[in-house]
Amino acid sequence: MLHAHYSNRTERLAATLAAVIRDPSRAPDPCRDEVVVVNNAGMGRWLQLEVARANGIAANLRLVFPAEMTWELLKAALPGVPSDNPFAPRQLAWHLFGLLDEVASRPGFEAVARYAGGDDYRQWTLARRLAGLFDQYVVFRPDWIAAWEAGESRDWQADLWRALVGRLGDRHWARLHRAFVDAMARDEIDRSLLPPRVNVFGIPTLSPAYLDLLAAVSRHVDVHLYWFNPCRQFWAEIIAPREAGETQDAHYEQGNSLLANWGRQGRETLDQLQDLSPHDDEDYVAGDDNTLLANVQRDILDLVERGEAGAVPWPADGDDTIAIHACHGPMREIEVLHDQLLARFAADSGLEPTDVLVMTPDIETYAPFIDAVFSTAPEHLRIPFSIADRGLRLRLPVIQAFLTLLTVVEDRATPEFVTGLLQTRAVAAAFEAWRAALPA
């Protein structure tokens, strides 16, 4: 059965997951892993702590990402599916890197040749970007992939995809998805190969194809979707003011403009989820604080637009639950963040560093500044922290140093450049060993 749990508080969704896990009447097989699909490692770690806090222990939880879970289900249901997905972005980037050399001279690839021809760095950058795009296409636009493989498009991306399929075969998500759904519908599956239960937690956007897959699995095992829903009213048909002039469909309506503007993807996912008629469970919390943030949250929760008759007035000046800071650069942003967090901890003795999540659109840019500010603070002002979702180059400074060294071909080797390299621990250690080997 497909269960959908809705709440406007992520911690309430975590409490619901913990209740499902500890309920003996819902335990399909206590000796097997409890599969929980999460969007990133940070969410997984937080969820483990919340389950442990609620149940006293978080044992036998297997946290997986959507792509990993999908491929495991495909292998369980279909014969001939390889152990590893050859179309996963990391592997795909290398295949594309090799293919770009081969196709650059073909008609239709003039733009690719102008951008990346003869430049390995640009070619690799383009290959990584295309790998990410193709990974999105097979999940969110399988109709494009089917049309490309049928030869219905002569676009250069379509030609490149056909070259990929010629090299890797056609065992990719877009083609396997339909075969999987059909096999599940015909009950052509060994149920012992399926996990006893699937929990999908906190993933804001699910493609129609992924929802179809979960619906197919739910005919054999329980599937629980824990979906953050900021509004308890039906908001699948609201549109933003800027969209009002783009549609002639009279059944659309305008609700809370903030939700309509920023919740477009969630609106579409909610609409598709409701079409599957899941067993719904709602746990919404309105709150009674008269702060700026609480009022905005209540407006979204009840689909209220400010300015309507009877709306609650805004709080008085001085409320800082929503604050905007204008800073001249990333370093200053992190310094202000550090000061603001210290002020919050001082004002609320119950607030712990583990309760704080800081989000940024580009962790690669901010990670060095975070480390510089948070690691060098005086001991009595130091805030424990960790940086999640960093790439390999940030986790291993020697790789960053090597990539920096490659830029000396195009840039000047200034004193600052050389000093920065020598401050890398691996480089400094190598020169220390070299100096020690010199004759006295």
Side-chain angles (χ1 to χ4, degrees):
M1 178 180 288
L2 180 63
H3 304 263
H5 307 275
Y6 303 104
S7 181
N8 63 326
R9 292 286 189 271
T10 307
E11 57 269 27
R12 300 300 285 262
L13 291 174
T16 302
L17 170 63
V20 169
I21 292 174
R22 71 172 176 264
D23 186 351
S25 67
R26 291 181 169 182
D29 188 343
C31 295
R32 295 184 64 183
D33 293 339
E34 185 76 46
V35 176
V36 184
V37 184
V38 294
N39 215 24
N40 54 65
M43 174 62 80
R45 285 192 292 272
W46 175 84
L47 192 57
Q48 282 182 307
L49 290 174
E50 289 298 302
V51 171
R53 190 173 289 126
N55 292 351
I57 188 172
N60 227 23
L61 291 183
R62 189 162 70 90
L63 302 170
V64 296
F65 297 147
E68 183 183 356
M69 184 74 256
T70 298
W71 204 251
E72 288 184 11
L73 292 172
L74 293 176
K75 288 191 298 182
L78 302 174
V81 177
S83 298
D84 296 314
N85 180 6
F87 288 84
R90 287 186 179 180
Q91 292 89 320
L92 202 60
W94 288 106
H95 292 292
L96 286 166
F97 181 70
L99 275 174
L100 287 173
D101 259 344
E102 299 177 18
V103 302
S105 59
R106 295 182 188 176
F109 285 87
E110 291 81 6
V112 175
R114 283 195 302 271
Y115 175 77
D119 188 321
D120 286 348
Y121 178 77
R122 283 193 169 194
Q123 189 168 308
W124 172 244
T125 302
L126 179 60
R128 289 184 60 191
R129 180 61 185 267
L130 287 171
L133 285 174
F134 285 159
D135 183 58
Q136 294 293 305
Y137 292 162
V138 296
V139 174
F140 287 93
R141 296 312 302 257
D143 53 324
W144 288 6
I145 299 298
W148 289 356
E149 294 183 4
E152 296 177 10
S153 173
R154 303 309 306 174
D155 179 83
W156 69 267
Q157 288 193 43
D159 288 339
L160 187 59
W161 177 261
R162 284 189 283 268
L164 269 177
V165 171
R167 171 179 287 194
L168 302 177
D170 61 0
R171 307 293 278 176
H172 53 74
W173 156 261
R175 187 174 288 272
L176 293 173
H177 162 259
R178 181 45 50 192
F180 175 87
V181 172
D182 291 343
M184 297 295 281
R186 294 192 299 266
D187 203 13
E188 298 175 352
I189 175 122
D190 181 355
R191 296 192 184 188
S192 66
L193 299 177
L194 295 174
R197 176 167 53 210
V198 177
N199 303 280
V200 181
F201 189 93
I203 299 179
T205 305
L206 297 168
S207 71
Y210 194 82
L211 285 173
D212 285 346
L213 180 142
L214 292 177
V217 173
S218 70
R219 288 193 285 267
H220 300 273
V221 300
D222 279 344
V223 174
H224 291 261
L225 281 172
Y226 303 85
W227 201 70
F228 178 85
N229 186 4
C231 181
R232 59 184 164 195
Q233 308 297 328
F234 181 74
W235 60 283
E237 294 182 353
I238 69 170
I239 58 174
R242 57 185 169 79
E243 297 178 89
E246 301 173 6
T247 179
Q248 303 298 319
D249 197 337
H251 79 275
Y252 277 97
E253 60 185 49
Q254 295 185 34
N256 182 279
S257 56
L258 190 62
L259 180 62
N261 276 295
W262 289 357
R264 186 170 184 173
Q265 288 185 322
R267 181 184 75 199
E268 294 170 356
T269 299
L270 177 63
D271 195 23
Q272 294 156 4
L273 182 56
Q274 291 300 310
D275 288 341
L276 299 177
S277 301
H279 180 271
D280 289 349
D281 171 38
E282 299 180 349
D283 184 10
Y284 295 105
V285 181
D288 55 5
D289 294 343
N290 190 32
T291 62
L292 182 59
L293 177 60
N295 275 277
V296 170
Q297 290 173 328
R298 277 195 296 271
D299 286 354
I300 294 174
L301 180 64
D302 294 319
L303 209 60
V304 173
E305 179 70 6
R306 283 283 157 176
E308 294 180 1
V312 179
W314 288 114
D317 292 342
D319 183 293
D320 63 349
T321 51
I322 295 179
I324 299 174
H325 299 269
C327 304
H328 61 261
M331 184 69 170
R332 185 57 185 156
E333 288 182 61
I334 301 304
E335 290 173 343
V336 171
L337 169 66
H338 189 266
D339 291 343
Q340 291 295 311
L341 288 175
L342 288 175
R344 291 289 179 186
F345 292 134
D348 184 355
S349 59
L351 185 65
E352 298 289 340
T354 53
D355 300 325
V356 177
L357 172 67
V358 179
M359 302 181 69
T360 173
D362 184 7
I363 194 62
E364 301 274 349
T365 298
Y366 284 92
F369 301 107
I370 296 170
D371 190 59
V373 172
F374 280 71
S375 296
T376 60
E379 188 65 34
H380 67 288
L381 298 178
R382 190 161 297 178
I383 302 172
F385 75 99
S386 63
I387 305 175
D389 300 327
R390 288 188 292 181
L392 190 63
R393 59 188 295 176
L394 287 175
R395 295 199 305 272
L396 299 177
V398 68
I399 293 180
Q400 177 63 52
F402 175 72
L403 295 174
T404 302
L405 184 60
L406 295 181
T407 65
V408 77
V409 178
E410 300 176 355
D411 299 332
R412 294 179 60 201
T414 62
E416 293 80 7
F417 178 91
V418 176
T419 302
L421 282 176
L422 292 176
Q423 287 176 343
T424 303
R425 183 175 300 176
V427 176
F431 276 94
E432 182 65 27
W434 172 78
R435 191 184 66 164
L438 291 175

